[in-house]
């Protein structure tokens, strides 16, 4: 072999070796992304951490201190299908998105309505449920009110829970009314029962329950709901694998009819009421 | 010779009647005039539950929250005492740098609303620190007795990070108040003691350890115990960062059952009982110390708020 040839061969082999070597150690960007996904972390930990807040009947603490509700069923089944345990992290609704972003849990499964504003901060899965806003009003204060338009006056006061899509819906559909925001749902309803506000806007079915429970002082000015909201899982941005997994899972359980069956159990009646009261 | 006044005057009776009348009115409004369906039945179930598996009574979420509050307060007070002692010593240090550092810490905490501090600590301080420590992984790895002990003294593995951020937040916050007690205690010692110590050639450290601190600690004890009661009360504020103490668990029960007033009343009693008990103990402690002092020597009295 001529020296030049051997030098060339050495260089070629050297480059080849380098290529093979680097391929064996450094992963492609795709592999890195897959390894860094939340579901990988969940599988390694063996625990899926789910952020939620108490909302009848999405999630409630029953008499034994256990969590029950539609969301709880969904998250429990999801973890089961992943082959991991589920852990719930009850978090105040007003701080639930910052808590997700700072990594206090893996995903929010808490009846979170998909809105454009929220979707700028987090990624939403496909909707796995739909909810709507209802309105319940005070019999004497809001006497004769029978449409959203009748509430749309500056002297009308509406109570809502802070940071919920109910607050957003009230601003959108009843913009002229004075909005009063409370930290918890019971506070908003108590304000209504005390006759301090004309109405409460809240996610169905609570407004209807309230009108039944306090039939002597409250009524439903409009039947049913006046918005139709998609509900999705919320997860951190930049994680396509987890998003894809959740979407696949939602497709499977809705095709099965399991989601609808659970939804009907928790939302259509109050068969579960004995568990909490 | 002054005339002995009767212990209770007519005016006192009138005042008492007015106060009682007002209270009766409030209670009447609450129980009869408020448009609210009372549901006291939920309270006992959320305090204690019968566990079918072990055939015994178990603490339910409200009581669990109460235990968490106590644990939180104990650890936070211990940590705050360490911090407070260090900062308090800085506040009386001969070195300007230490004095200024201590003063900056104390003033910045005392002049900021607690609620704001809690958020800042939670999102910026404790999160970053705890992520470094890797506590949760350690706790999850624990098995058997270790796990039981961890759960008994601190919290379950899934809540341990939250628990510690709560402790840290409270401790950083209470440390500033304890630092002031420590400073006051040290400054309450007569300068003659310092001079005497110096004259027999003790270094500053020896002086502090052997002469000043033993005397100052006795002065500090009652207000320190009072500060522990304050920690219990302040701990309710960490419910906003979803630490599962008594107030947070109460809010959860309220949202589940919509029995808001019953839960608030129950929680207030659950805070009142231990705090009142401790307050009475602190008063006895103060009296015991005051009695020990020789006549003519003034003991600084701290308000126990």
């Amino acid at each position: 072999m001529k020296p030049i040839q051997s030098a060339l061969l050495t260089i070629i082999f050297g480059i080849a070796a380098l290529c093979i070597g680097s391929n064996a150690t450094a992963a492609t960007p795709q592999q890195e992304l897959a390894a860094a996904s939340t579901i990988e972390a969940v599988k390694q930990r063996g625990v899926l951490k789910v952020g939620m807040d108490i909302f009848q009947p999405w999630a409630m603490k029953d008499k034994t201190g256990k969590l029950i509700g539609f969301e709880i069923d969904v998250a429990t089944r999801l973890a089961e299908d992943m082959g991991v345990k589920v852990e719930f992290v009850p978090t105040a609704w007003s701080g639930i998105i910052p808590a997700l972003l700072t990594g206090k849990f893996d995903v929010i499964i808490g009846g979170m309505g998909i809105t454009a504003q929220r979707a700028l901060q987090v990624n939403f899965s496909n909707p796995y449920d739909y909810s709507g806003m209802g309105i319940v009003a005070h019999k004497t204060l809001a006497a004769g009110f029978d449409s959203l338009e009748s509430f749309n006056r500056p002297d009308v006061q509406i109570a809502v829970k802070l940071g919920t899509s109910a607050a957003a819906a009230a601003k959108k559909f009843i913009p002229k009314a004075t909005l009063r925001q409370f930290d918890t749902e019971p506070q908003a309803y108590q304000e209504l029962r005390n006759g301090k506000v004309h109405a409460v806007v809240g996610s169905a079915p609570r407004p209807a329950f309230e009108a039944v429970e306090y039939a002597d002082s409250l009524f439903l000015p409009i039947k049913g709901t006046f918005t139709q909201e998609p509900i999705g899982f919320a997860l951190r941005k930049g994680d396509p694998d987890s998003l894809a997994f959740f979407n696949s899972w939602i497709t499977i359980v809705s095709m099965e009819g399991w989601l609808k069956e659970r939804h009907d159990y928790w939302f259509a009646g109050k068969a579960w009421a004995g568990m909490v009261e | 010779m002054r005339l002995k006044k009767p212990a209770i005057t007519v005016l006192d009776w009138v005042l008492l009647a007015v106060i009682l009348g007002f209270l009766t009115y409030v209670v009447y409004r609450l129980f009869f005039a408020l448009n609210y369906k009372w549901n006291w039945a939920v309270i006992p179930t959320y305090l204690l539950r019968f566990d079918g598996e072990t055939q015994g009574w178990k603490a339910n979420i409200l009581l669990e929250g109460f235990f968490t509050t106590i644990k939180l307060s104990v650890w936070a007070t211990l940590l705050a005492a360490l911090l407070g002692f260090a900062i308090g010593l800085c506040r009386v240090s001969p070195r300007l740098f230490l004095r200024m550092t201590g003063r900056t810490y104390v003033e910045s905490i005392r002049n900021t609303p607690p609620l704001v501090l809690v958020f800042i600590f939670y999102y910026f301080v404790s999160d970053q620190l705890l992520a470094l420590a890797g506590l949760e992984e350690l706790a999850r790895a624990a098995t058997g007795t270790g796990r039981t002990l961890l759960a008994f003294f601190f919290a379950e593995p899934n809540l341990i990070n939250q628990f510690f951020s709560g402790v840290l937040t409270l401790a950083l916050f209470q440390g500033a108040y304890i630092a002031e007690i420590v400073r006051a205690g040290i400054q309450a010692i007569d300068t003659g003691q310092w001079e005497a110590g110096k004259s027999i050639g003790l270094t500053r450290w020896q002086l502090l350890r052997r002469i000043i601190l033993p005397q100052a600690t006795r002065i500090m004890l009652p207000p320190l115990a009072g500060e522990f009661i304050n920690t219990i009360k302040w701990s309710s504020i960490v419910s906003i960062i979803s630490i599962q103490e008594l107030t947070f668990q109460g809010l959860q029960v309220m949202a589940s059952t919509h029995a808001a007033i019953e839960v608030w009343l129950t929680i207030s009693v659950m805070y009142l009982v231990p705090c009142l008990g401790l307050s009475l103990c602190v008063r006895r402690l103060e009296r015991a110390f005051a009695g020990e002092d020789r006549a003519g020597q003034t003991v600084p009295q701290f308000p126990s708020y």
Side-chain angles (χ1 to χ4, degrees):
Chain A
M1 247 208 239
K2 290 185 185 126
I4 292 207
Q5 277 180 326
S6 62
L8 266 177
L9 271 177
T10 314
I11 290 169
I12 288 167
F13 272 107
I15 290 171
L18 265 178
C19 287
I20 292 164
S22 65
N23 249 355
T25 53
T28 60
Q30 284 84 353
Q31 283 167 318
E32 277 174 24
L33 194 63
S37 85
T38 300
I39 39 172
E40 279 307 315
V42 169
K43 277 194 285 192
Q44 295 215 327
R45 201 191 305 136
V47 171
L48 174 72
K49 292 206 263 179
V50 176
M52 37 64 75
D53 189 16
I54 304 280
F55 259 113
Q56 270 189 355
W58 278 272
M60 298 163 283
K61 287 249 168 144
D62 75 355
K63 284 177 184 168
T64 63
K66 278 210 316 281
L67 283 160
I68 55 162
F70 175 69
E71 297 297 346
I72 307 299
D73 286 354
V74 169
T76 309
R77 164 93 196 257
L78 172 70
E80 211 174 284
D81 292 351
M82 284 176 83
V84 294
K85 285 206 194 91
V86 67
E87 253 172 34
F88 293 99
V89 185
T91 307
W93 195 251
S94 47
I96 203 163
I97 287 183
L100 171 74
L101 299 180
T102 51
K104 301 211 178 297
F105 37 78
D106 306 313
V107 58
I108 297 172
I109 304 180
M112 186 172 262
I114 304 176
T115 65
Q117 256 192 326
R118 283 176 182 157
L120 289 171
Q121 293 178 287
V122 295
N123 280 351
F124 280 105
S125 69
N126 294 338
Y128 63 102
D129 192 24
Y130 295 89
S131 91
M133 288 303 151
I135 184 165
V136 56
H138 197 270
K139 266 188 177 162
T140 43
L141 280 179
F145 287 29
D146 58 357
S147 68
L148 286 182
E149 207 36 56
S150 47
F151 287 94
N152 200 8
R153 302 200 315 252
D155 59 323
V156 170
Q157 302 217 12
I158 307 284
V160 291
K161 180 175 171 178
L162 185 73
T164 54
S165 36
K171 280 181 195 149
K172 190 175 160 189
F173 289 91
I174 321 171
K176 287 184 193 150
T178 315
L179 201 60
R180 299 196 39 213
Q181 314 205 26
F182 292 88
D183 237 2
T184 65
E185 269 204 308
Q187 282 175 311
Y189 286 111
Q190 188 54 46
E191 203 71 357
L192 174 67
R193 294 196 291 263
N194 290 352
K196 299 259 176 20
V197 293
H198 292 68
V200 169
V201 172
S203 294
R206 184 74 219 175
F209 289 166
E210 202 71 21
V212 171
E213 213 172 318
Y214 292 90
D216 49 353
S217 55
L218 307 181
F219 76 107
L220 292 172
I222 43 175
K223 293 284 168 281
T225 56
F226 62 90
T227 64
Q228 173 74 298
E229 274 189 24
I231 304 280
F233 299 176
L235 57 158
R236 288 181 287 274
K237 286 196 174 286
D239 189 356
D241 285 7
S242 304
L243 192 63
F245 171 75
F246 291 138
N247 285 340
S248 308
W249 183 83
I250 288 166
T251 311
I252 297 163
V253 288
S254 22
M255 288 285 176
E256 264 181 27
W258 181 82
L259 270 182
K260 185 177 180 321
E261 184 264 315
R262 288 286 84 201
H263 175 95
D264 290 345
Y265 173 78
W266 290 106
F267 291 90
K270 270 190 106 169
W272 45 265
M275 290 197 245
V276 288
E277 283 165 22
Chain B
M1 280 292 287
R2 278 185 310 181
L3 281 173
K4 269 191 90 171
K5 280 188 178 165
I8 297 181
T9 62
V10 176
L11 184 66
D12 291 339
W13 284 111
V14 173
L15 272 177
L16 189 67
V18 170
I19 293 168
L20 282 177
F22 177 72
L23 283 178
T24 315
Y25 173 75
V26 169
V27 170
Y28 164 79
R29 290 285 310 175
L30 200 61
F31 284 84
F32 299 102
L34 188 74
N35 186 11
Y36 184 81
K37 284 199 171 60
W38 292 88
N39 182 7
W40 281 103
V42 303
I43 299 296
T45 41
Y46 282 98
L47 281 170
L48 278 175
R49 65 187 177 87
F50 189 75
D51 193 31
E53 285 169 33
T54 55
Q55 288 298 313
W57 291 91
K58 275 216 165 130
N60 206 348
I61 37 186
L62 284 181
L63 263 185
E64 275 177 5
F66 175 75
F67 296 144
T68 307
T69 288
I70 299 296
K71 283 190 272 193
L72 203 64
S73 309
V74 170
W75 292 115
T77 308
L78 287 175
L79 204 60
L82 285 175
L83 187 71
F85 245 87
I87 301 283
L89 287 174
C90 286
R91 297 270 280 122
V92 296
S93 162
R95 291 177 56 191
L96 178 68
F97 172 76
L98 287 181
R99 279 208 307 279
M100 284 172 81
T101 312
R103 177 118 196 240
T104 307
Y105 175 73
V106 169
E107 296 294 358
S108 54
I109 298 252
R110 285 205 312 175
N111 297 300
T112 324
L115 203 63
V116 176
L117 281 174
V118 166
F119 271 121
I120 291 176
F121 285 152
Y122 183 61
Y123 283 120
F124 301 105
V125 184
S126 65
D127 250 22
Q128 314 312 324
L129 290 176
L130 289 170
L132 283 176
L135 266 172
E136 193 178 334
E137 287 67 29
L138 277 175
R140 278 187 200 279
T143 48
T145 331
R147 204 179 174 126
T148 319
L149 284 177
L150 265 179
F152 181 77
F153 285 111
F154 303 106
E156 294 290 340
N158 57 321
L159 296 172
I160 208 134
N161 260 354
Q162 276 195 333
F163 180 82
F164 277 103
S165 57
V167 169
L168 215 65
T169 303
L170 271 175
L172 284 169
F173 176 81
Q174 286 295 64
Y177 291 87
I178 289 180
E180 282 303 274
I181 292 172
V182 171
R183 180 187 61 81
I186 291 173
Q187 287 178 342
I189 303 300
D190 192 59
T191 43
Q193 303 278 321
W194 289 94
E195 283 159 11
K198 275 189 195 136
S199 70
I200 55 169
L202 294 176
T203 62
R204 185 183 161 80
W205 179 236
Q206 286 173 321
L207 232 170
L208 268 175
R209 204 166 52 98
R210 301 217 172 143
I211 296 173
I212 306 299
L213 283 181
Q215 298 180 73
T217 310
R218 241 192 34 176
I219 298 175
M220 288 175 212
L221 266 179
L224 279 178
E227 211 49 55
F228 174 62
I229 299 171
N230 273 336
T231 312
I232 297 182
K233 287 188 296 189
W234 280 121
S235 70
S236 67
I237 222 172
V238 299
S239 64
I240 57 162
I241 49 174
S242 309
I243 311 284
Q244 311 209 349
E245 45 63 75
L246 183 53
T247 304
F248 184 79
Q249 297 289 34
L251 287 166
Q252 301 257 295
V253 175
M254 279 176 229
S256 298
T257 61
H258 279 246
I261 305 178
E262 297 88 333
V263 175
W264 279 125
L265 289 174
T266 308
I267 292 178
S268 60
V269 171
M270 287 170 88
Y271 277 112
L272 182 75
V273 170
C275 289
L276 191 62
L278 286 166
S279 286
L280 296 175
C281 293
V282 171
R283 278 191 59 181
R284 293 190 61 164
L285 195 70
E286 280 175 356
R287 280 217 201 99
F289 282 157
E292 274 180 26
D293 280 288
R294 287 196 311 277
Q297 207 176 337
T298 50
V299 177
Q301 289 292 320
F302 292 93
S304 51
Y305 35 85

